[in-house]
Amino acid sequence: MPRRAGAPVSAGIEPSAAIATDRRPASADRRVRVGIIGATGYAGAELIRLLGRHPNVDVVGLQGRDRHDLPIGEIHAHLGGTGLAVDTELPPVDAVFLALPHGAAANLVPAIAAVGTAVIDLGPDFRLRAAGDYPRWYGFDHPRADLLGDAVYGLPELHRPELAALRHAPQAIVGAPGCYPTATLLALAPLARAGLIGDLVVDAKSGVSGAGREAKPELMFGEVNESVKAYGIGGHRHVAEIEQELAAISAATKASNPGIGPVDFLPHLIPMTRGILSACHVRPKRPTSQAELDDLYASAYAGEPFVIVTPTAPATKHVLGSNDARVFVRLDERTGRILAIGVIDNLVKGAAGQAIQAFNLVHGLPETAGLEQLPLAP
């Protein structure tokens, strides 16, 4: 298909012949053909790194605006050995990952999904169910509000059945969660199901890679090093996802959680490269005990391949480079409050790894495929 002058980066995407009513590879030797739009940022680089080791995937193309057969090693030196290059079009693919700034994917996804290609969007454009939330939190009117109800929020621990159902759906759109919501929701979900959230304050910290790769004065080494800064005061964008999903949990379980809306959320920038720690301070709606909390979390995450409930407070270093999430819960007998902590690697479980986990479910593959690497240390 010839590329039109001035066409958006999605021009040229065609479905692979394998896409029909079942997205699972037809045979053991058949691999899913994958393309990535937006491979120049940190999340895009992690997609390439992780998918390059996926036993059921062939990364057949990287696409970016105004890039003409540019070797990926010139953008991400550590990926030079892949032999991949960024171009203006993708070859026929079964699935597309998008790692683009907010507002960019909303105009591209409809045409991609319409031809049967599975879409995993790492940006926010298909995370929120209510179209009215986009002008408020992201500053744009969603061009295809009709698709928001069909898109699945890509947190497998909360939406595994819905993600698996996309395997046979004519259109498959996944809105991969943000990094802060992932750590926060995994820390809070068992409490929300039990109707224990009477009041909630979330205090979260992120490494600088969460702000992206674009050069910004406030992210220079001399500004970030040996400094901690609160930001997003008065309403960080990720609050919308946190409130949406806690409300959905409450509705599904018929649990009353007065503290889930509005959520008091304050993020901080920490002088480290990767990692998210979300500390959730909960005033319980009713009396509880440490034994009850231990049972709630053990039951919620029994059998989960990537969520580890820890007996002591976890550190971001414990999950570095992995798709793991570690959660911890403790009742403070003195104050009566519950402390729930979630830690993740913001670029893996908070971005590329979680997107691949959702992709695996959509394609009927083992959920852990390509994601079994252990954390890095030291």
Side-chain angles (χ1 to χ4, degrees):
M1 179 185 297
R3 182 171 173 79
R4 304 185 306 277
V9 294
S10 62
I13 292 180
E14 299 175 356
S16 167
I19 292 295
T21 56
D22 189 346
R23 289 184 167 80
R24 184 175 183 175
S27 61
D29 60 348
R30 191 348 181 126
R31 295 158 71 88
V32 182
R33 293 171 56 87
V34 165
I36 300 170
I37 299 177
T40 60
Y42 289 137
E46 283 293 85
L47 283 170
I48 298 168
R49 181 178 73 88
L50 296 171
L51 289 170
R53 295 175 56 84
H54 197 297
N56 307 105
V57 164
D58 280 331
V59 179
V60 297
L62 311 176
Q63 188 171 335
R65 189 181 300 276
D66 300 324
R67 308 280 183 166
H68 302 279
D69 199 30
L70 179 67
I72 192 63
E74 294 188 16
I75 303 169
H76 300 294
H78 67 295
L79 299 174
T82 65
L84 294 169
V86 185
D87 214 330
T88 55
E89 293 187 359
L90 292 180
V93 292
D94 303 319
V96 173
F97 290 85
L98 296 98
L100 299 171
H102 66 264
N107 291 304
L108 306 182
V109 166
I112 300 171
V115 296
T117 304
V119 172
I120 317 292
D121 179 21
L122 278 70
D125 293 15
F126 290 90
R127 295 173 186 166
L128 305 179
R129 302 283 75 82
D133 283 339
Y134 281 94
R136 176 184 178 188
W137 294 104
Y138 289 99
F140 71 93
D141 293 314
H142 203 289
R144 289 298 303 272
D146 57 305
L147 294 178
L148 296 177
D150 295 329
V152 175
Y153 190 71
L155 186 56
E157 291 79 10
L158 299 186
H159 294 285
R160 187 171 283 111
E162 299 97 310
L163 290 166
L166 292 179
R167 172 179 164 184
H168 299 287
Q171 289 193 146
I173 302 174
V174 175
C179 51
Y180 280 128
T182 296
T184 302
L185 290 168
L186 291 175
L188 290 173
L191 301 179
R193 292 191 186 104
L196 277 170
I197 304 178
D199 179 66
L200 172 63
V201 175
V202 180
D203 184 303
K205 284 90 175 173
S206 173
V208 294
S209 62
R213 202 179 186 210
E214 182 182 351
K216 301 174 184 176
E218 66 271 21
L219 297 179
M220 294 176 62
F221 180 82
E223 302 295 328
V224 174
N225 186 46
E226 299 182 3
S227 178
V228 177
K229 180 177 73 172
Y231 67 101
I233 297 171
H236 188 279
R237 289 164 172 164
H238 283 177
V239 170
E241 291 173 56
I242 295 170
E243 293 180 350
Q244 170 185 279
E245 293 303 305
L246 289 177
I249 292 170
S250 300
T253 57
K254 297 181 172 59
S256 173
N257 290 287
I260 64 172
V263 171
D264 192 347
F265 176 80
L266 182 63
H268 300 77
L269 189 67
I270 299 291
M272 63 182 183
T273 302
R274 304 164 74 119
I276 292 275
L277 186 150
S278 183
C280 309
H281 303 267
V282 177
R283 179 72 68 183
K285 195 180 69 174
R286 58 170 174 79
T288 185
S289 66
Q290 186 64 47
E292 180 188 10
L293 297 178
D294 290 342
D295 288 344
L296 287 175
Y297 279 72
S299 175
Y301 295 122
E304 284 293 343
F306 296 113
V307 182
I308 303 162
V309 181
T310 62
T312 57
T316 57
K317 199 75 168 180
H318 298 162
V319 297
L320 182 65
S322 78
N323 199 54
D324 291 347
R326 293 193 172 220
V327 297
F328 166 82
V329 65
R330 182 60 49 86
L331 176 67
D332 187 329
E333 299 282 359
R334 184 180 65 87
T335 65
R337 297 186 74 93
I338 298 168
L339 173 63
I341 297 175
V343 300
I344 60 171
D345 184 318
N346 58 292
L347 295 179
V348 187
K349 183 60 174 170
Q354 181 147 262
I356 293 168
Q357 189 180 351
F359 161 89
N360 287 339
L361 289 167
V362 171
H363 289 84
L365 300 169
E367 189 171 335
T368 59
L371 298 171
E372 296 171 326
Q373 67 277 3
L374 295 172
L376 300 171

